[in-house]
Amino acid sequence: MKRAHWQAHPSNSAARQRGGMAVMMMLLLLGLVVILGVVEVGYLYWAKRDVQKTADLAALAGAQRLELCTTDYTDNLAARKNAVNDNSFAGTLAIQCGYWGAELPSSARFVTVSPSRPLNAVRVTASRQSVPFFGQLGAMPMINATATARRTEPQAAFSVGSRLLNVNGSAPLQGLLRLVGVDLNQTQIGSYQGLANVKVTPRGLLEALNIPVAVDMTVGEFNSLLAANQISVGKLLEVMADLADQQGVAGVSLGLLEQKLLGVGLRDVLVQLGSTASSSGLFAKVGGGSQAVAGALDVELNALELLGTSISIANSKHAVAVPQLNLPLLRAKASIVEPASIAIGPVGTTAYNSQVRLFLDIDSQYLPLGVGQVLGFLGTRIRLPTYIDVIDGYGRLSAINCSAQPATATVDVESPIANVCIGKASTPWDSTRELCSTGLGNEQLITLLGRSVLTHKIALPALPNHDQLTLSEGQTGTVKPNNLQVGKLVSDLVGALLGTLQSLLAPPGSTPDTAKDVARQYLEATKVNGFYQPEAVVTALRDGNANLPALGNWNTQIPTCEYWLLGCTPKKVQGNVWDGFLYETNVSDPSIIGGLLDVLGITSCKGLLAGLLAYNSCVENALAKYLQTKPGGVNSTGSYNPATGSGSCSGILCSLLKPVIDNTLRPLLDGIGNLLSVVLSDVLGLQLGRSDVHMQAIQCGRSQLVE
């Protein structure tokens, strides 16, 4: 049996080897093609990025120099120079100047310039032929890139505040904290002074509160976003503490301040971030077009002033007593009626001042015991509820000068000298800005002898005060008060207060009625067991005592008799007024007939008939009759002027009240003027008609890529 043997043929092996090499070469070529394709794709991507970078930089350069746009808005020399000279771009450039607005539809936000859409943006389209690798120029695509950049309007962040919000003072916030019931010593104040060096941006604050901000937000949307969100004072303190650590500001400790604010109930009060027409927030409404939002988000604000504003908002419409202003005749309270806000925006932006209202409860019942007893005995009360809008006004940004070194901003400040009104607050006194004009009613200001003699209201309009401040970033300027206006305000107020005193000496009604009122006051003060005592009342009227002022003696026509055996002949003679009064009220006739008439009560108040029917009324009528005989009468003021103290008087009311007016009432009412112009500044840090403008930041227009 034959064994089979197999043996490869030499020609078949060589063919197979040649076939394998062909496959390998094919794979190698395919790999090379792929590699070349990847390289070319990478090159095209790089080329696209390079052209895009050129367009971006050119658009930014053009937006920064909008004044270099051509008159037909079809070119910008700064954009072209940047692309051609600075970046050696050899392709073609299409440059347009126009307006870009986030409020426009997303597909057409870059439009031509018009009166309502001012020049603010540059669009650059750069085109370049890609360089071929293999000489096939026609097969390579054109590379195009478009970029749009806008320049934001110059903006400023500033606040208008009374001197209690002056962050440059030796004790920042001290006056405001005292106004809300927090009194700190100098060491404790130093624990938060470092906040003046901490910067907060609205964007950073929103991020800390996890509130997202859209890139293309309109100004209306931004204002609505701020107004819809709140932050507690305590949370704001936490954010500031974190920022102080991040910014390396040493010596900021807010724990004690937080405890103090907790103690007065302010730490957890929620504060609105944005302002609306009916409510106040940390920030005033941002003005300007859509481009204002981008700038407003990144303006750096002073943390200390932001804190002060938040406290004033949290405490608004909450009055606190001001014991340092409590004097004889008055008690004082103060309230932040309208809190301040921080304004951010372009020219035209307005910041309102913090409005502080002072309530002076002027009341004779607060007088020391001796003087108060005299007025009380006379059934007299002087009550002058006085409301003073100490700080008011606003500042409007009128110009930003970016060419100055450093840049400056100008604020027109309206800082009226305070409104003053006296009367009854018909609306809550600490919750309306228009108290004097719309929320004031008549009040019973003067009561004399138990009767109202003056029911009235008094309103002194604010005196205008205009000023203009030009400040650089970080500066605080103070409006200088018009001293003549301040003097006029104080003079008008004191004049209005003192003018009410005239009513004390001129009560309405007839003279007999007034005389009866005076008689009744003395008789009631000296009666025993419900009966008037003629002898006791005469002693009080003639000599006075610790509680009752004396009227002294005078002569007048008094009744007497020429006696004969059984009676007497009545006649009138000059004699002491009190003898006449006692003669008519007592049983004093020694004659038989006269004595009988006295006993029967026909000629004497102590007689049987008068005593049974109307003894007290009889005595009162007799005394009133004799009081009217005093030289000068009952109501006469002579030449006496209670507002100045000049002149003299002899009338009964004038004699009784003149010592009280001269020695007590006028000095106290006069002193209220000094209280306003001097004491108020020392106690609360407030000055009439004087406002601070703090320029927190100035941001000149900057270019920004938007597409």
Side-chain angles (χ1 to χ4, degrees):
M1 185 176 183
K2 293 184 179 178
R3 182 176 296 175
H5 295 281
W6 181 85
Q7 183 177 5
H9 195 279
S11 60
N12 290 338
S13 177
R16 283 196 295 272
Q17 290 177 5
R18 287 194 299 272
M21 290 296 293
V23 172
M24 291 178 63
M25 289 299 296
M26 186 181 299
L27 293 174
L28 179 61
L29 289 174
L30 182 60
L32 289 173
V33 171
V34 170
I35 291 171
L36 289 174
V38 169
V39 170
E40 185 149 323
V41 169
Y43 161 73
L44 291 174
Y45 177 78
W46 170 86
K48 173 70 173 177
R49 292 289 299 167
D50 185 59
V51 174
Q52 185 66 59
K53 183 182 75 171
T54 298
D56 290 347
L57 294 175
L60 287 169
Q64 195 64 39
R65 299 294 305 276
L66 290 174
E67 71 277 10
L68 296 182
C69 287
T70 57
T71 55
D72 59 359
Y73 301 119
T74 59
D75 204 351
N76 179 282
L77 300 182
R80 186 168 295 279
K81 177 179 179 296
N82 180 272
V84 176
N85 297 350
D86 298 341
N87 289 293
S88 303
F89 185 72
T92 59
L93 294 169
I95 300 174
Q96 290 178 286
C97 296
Y99 172 84
W100 188 95
E103 74 280 4
L104 299 176
S106 57
S107 59
R109 286 182 170 164
F110 182 84
V111 295
T112 56
V113 173
S114 67
S116 60
R117 293 170 178 170
L119 174 66
N120 74 344
V122 171
R123 170 169 286 179
V124 175
T125 299
S127 303
R128 190 183 72 189
Q129 178 69 53
S130 56
V131 179
F133 276 160
F134 306 111
Q136 298 183 3
L137 183 61
M140 296 299 290
M142 290 288 292
I143 299 175
N144 301 302
T146 299
T148 303
R150 68 169 177 179
R151 186 171 72 185
T152 60
E153 289 184 77
Q155 298 195 53
F158 66 102
S159 58
V160 180
S162 63
R163 296 190 69 82
L164 63 87
L165 294 178
N166 185 356
V167 299
N168 289 344
S170 59
L173 287 182
Q174 186 173 2
L176 175 61
L177 291 173
R178 191 183 295 123
L179 189 60
V180 304
V182 175
D183 205 353
L184 302 174
N185 59 42
Q186 290 300 320
T187 301
Q188 294 165 339
I189 290 168
S191 67
Y192 63 79
Q193 276 185 315
L195 284 179
N197 300 317
V198 176
K199 300 300 181 183
V200 183
T201 66
R203 188 190 301 276
L205 185 58
L206 292 171
E207 289 175 352
L209 299 177
N210 296 316
I211 300 174
V213 180
V215 176
D216 55 354
M217 184 177 293
T218 66
V219 71
E221 292 169 339
F222 183 56
N223 284 325
S224 298
L225 176 69
L226 291 177
N229 287 277
Q230 298 175 318
I231 184 174
S232 70
V233 177
K235 177 63 177 178
L236 187 61
L237 285 172
E238 291 179 18
V239 172
M240 291 179 176
D242 291 341
L243 289 172
D245 289 339
Q246 295 171 17
Q247 297 174 21
V249 178
V252 176
S253 176
L254 302 179
L256 178 63
L257 181 58
E258 185 177 12
Q259 291 177 14
K260 293 285 187 178
L261 293 175
L262 177 63
V264 295
L266 293 182
R267 188 195 67 176
D268 298 321
V269 175
L270 293 175
V271 173
Q272 194 170 293
L273 293 182
S275 298
T276 64
S278 59
S279 59
S280 298
L282 277 178
F283 305 107
K285 293 183 71 172
V286 176
S290 59
Q291 62 270 29
V293 176
L297 281 169
D298 296 314
V299 172
E300 291 186 333
L301 307 173
N302 182 295
L304 184 61
E305 190 151 350
L306 198 64
L307 173 62
T309 303
S310 70
I311 292 174
S312 70
I313 295 171
N315 191 67
S316 60
K317 302 176 181 60
H318 171 66
V320 296
V322 187
Q324 297 93 331
L325 298 185
N326 288 344
L327 302 171
L329 192 67
L330 71 86
R331 300 292 181 266
K333 292 192 296 184
S335 176
I336 300 171
V337 181
E338 190 73 20
S341 59
I342 296 172
I344 306 173
V347 169
T349 299
T350 300
Y352 287 93
N353 194 353
S354 174
Q355 181 176 331
V356 177
R357 180 167 293 147
L358 188 66
F359 172 45
L360 301 180
D361 186 12
I362 303 171
D363 196 329
S364 60
Q365 292 186 343
Y366 299 140
L367 287 170
L369 191 59
V371 178
Q373 283 179 329
V374 172
L375 291 176
F377 155 70
L378 291 174
T380 299
R381 183 184 182 186
I382 301 170
R383 184 161 191 266
L384 304 171
T386 303
Y387 307 93
I388 304 170
D389 290 338
V390 182
I391 299 296
D392 201 355
Y394 60 88
R396 178 173 287 113
L397 187 64
S398 59
I400 298 176
N401 185 0
C402 288
S403 61
Q405 295 298 325
T408 61
T410 300
V411 178
D412 294 330
V413 185
E414 298 292 331
S415 186
I417 308 296
N419 282 303
V420 178
C421 47
I422 302 170
K424 178 181 291 184
S426 57
T427 58
W429 76 272
D430 57 352
S431 63
T432 174
R433 296 188 66 171
E434 302 299 332
L435 177 65
C436 289
S437 58
T438 62
L440 192 70
N442 289 329
E443 177 65 279
Q444 186 171 307
L445 304 180
I446 303 290
T447 301
L448 175 64
L449 302 172
R451 286 193 285 170
S452 174
V453 297
L454 180 62
T455 299
H456 194 45
K457 63 180 179 180
I458 301 169
L460 305 178
L463 301 172
N465 194 29
H466 311 275
D467 207 345
Q468 188 177 77
L469 298 172
T470 298
L471 307 167
S472 58
E473 185 173 304
Q475 284 188 326
T476 297
T478 301
V479 174
K480 294 181 180 179
N482 184 325
N483 291 326
L484 293 177
Q485 287 191 337
V486 173
K488 184 178 187 307
L489 172 73
V490 172
S491 174
D492 289 348
L493 174 60
V494 173
L497 296 175
L498 293 176
T500 61
L501 297 181
Q502 188 68 43
S503 299
L504 285 172
L505 308 179
S510 66
T511 297
D513 288 339
T514 304
K516 271 192 172 185
D517 289 336
V518 175
R520 190 179 304 116
Q521 301 302 320
Y522 278 86
L523 290 166
E524 287 291 327
T526 55
K527 71 181 179 181
V528 176
N529 296 326
F531 290 96
Y532 292 159
Q533 307 297 315
E535 291 81 3
V537 79
V538 164
T539 301
L541 287 163
R542 183 183 59 217
D543 305 325
N545 58 37
N547 299 323
L548 304 177
L551 289 180
N553 285 308
W554 65 90
N555 288 331
T556 186
Q557 290 285 317
I558 64 173
T560 187
C561 277
E562 287 187 359
Y563 297 104
W564 41 277
L565 180 62
L566 296 177
C568 73
T569 302
K571 67 176 183 177
K572 295 280 188 177
V573 298
Q574 280 293 114
N576 184 275
V577 62
W578 307 126
D579 291 342
F581 168 66
L582 291 174
Y583 183 89
E584 289 193 18
T585 55
N586 288 323
V587 177
S588 55
D589 195 330
S591 68
I592 295 175
I593 296 176
L596 180 61
L597 294 175
D598 280 352
V599 170
L600 290 176
I602 296 173
T603 58
S604 170
C605 294
K606 282 190 175 180
L608 180 63
L609 185 61
L612 286 174
L613 298 178
Y615 168 73
N616 281 1
S617 178
C618 177
V619 174
E620 179 183 302
N621 289 333
L623 182 56
K625 180 180 69 174
Y626 279 99
L627 288 177
Q628 293 178 68
T629 67
K630 180 174 173 60
V634 177
N635 297 340
S636 173
T637 60
S639 61
Y640 178 63
N641 183 345
T644 63
S646 60
S648 60
C649 62
S650 56
I652 288 180
L653 285 180
C654 191
S655 298
L656 293 174
L657 292 172
K658 185 177 184 296
V660 179
I661 293 173
D662 287 346
N663 300 328
T664 303
L665 295 179
R666 190 173 58 254
L668 287 173
L669 293 177
D670 217 356
I672 291 174
N674 292 329
L675 178 146
L676 287 179
S677 56
V678 179
V679 180
L680 199 61
S681 174
D682 296 337
V683 174
L684 292 181
L686 298 169
Q687 288 184 302
L688 288 173
R690 196 166 191 182
S691 295
D692 290 338
V693 176
H694 179 53
M695 190 59 59
Q696 296 199 34
I698 298 174
Q699 187 182 85
C700 288
R702 58 179 183 175
S703 57
Q704 176 188 41
L705 285 172
V706 289
E707 289 181 359

